[in-house]
Amino acid sequence: MWFVIFAEDHENSLEGRKQARPAHIERLRALQNDGRLLVAGPCPAIAELDPGVLGFTGSVVIAEFDSQEEAEQWANDDPYWQAGVYKKATVKPFNAVLPN
């Protein structure tokens, strides 16, 4: 089943993001290579692709996992946690209806 992972950043998380980004992207690429990633990306602090020093407020990942527990464990193992970027993550089942 698909799951949405919405993670919220601590304020001033940009430097931590920069440090942990390669490991974060590597995990996402592994999901992509397994055909289990629908979409992933950051939420800019302003409506710009590059928010500059304002950074990001969080991240969204929609990926396929066998269970809620597996999705939560995957989310909790993200390098952004160890870098102090994330302060909270919400994991919910997701039913992809469109596009089909």
Side-chain angles (χ1 to χ4, degrees):
M1 172 154 219
W2 295 105
F3 289 86
V4 174
I5 300 168
F6 178 69
E8 296 178 59
D9 283 20
H10 286 283
E11 288 191 31
N12 303 313
S13 62
L14 188 57
E15 287 307 312
R17 273 182 171 271
K18 288 178 182 178
Q19 288 179 348
R21 188 171 192 273
H24 172 77
I25 295 296
E26 184 178 325
R27 294 179 81 237
L28 291 169
R29 290 224 188 271
L31 284 177
Q32 182 180 28
N33 292 341
D34 289 344
R36 297 171 44 207
L37 182 65
L38 184 64
V39 66
C43 301
I46 58 173
E48 297 288 336
L49 291 177
D50 180 359
V53 297
L54 296 177
F56 301 90
T57 61
S59 301
V60 174
V61 175
I62 301 178
E64 191 173 28
F65 296 94
D66 290 334
S67 67
Q68 176 88 26
E69 293 77 21
E70 183 184 343
E72 289 172 356
Q73 185 62 54
W74 189 92
N76 290 335
D77 290 341
D78 196 284
Y80 281 169
W81 283 109
Q82 289 75 35
V85 172
Y86 291 155
K87 66 178 177 182
K88 178 182 176 185
T90 302
V91 178
K92 293 184 177 188
F94 178 74
N95 187 9
V97 175
L98 293 172
N100 56 9

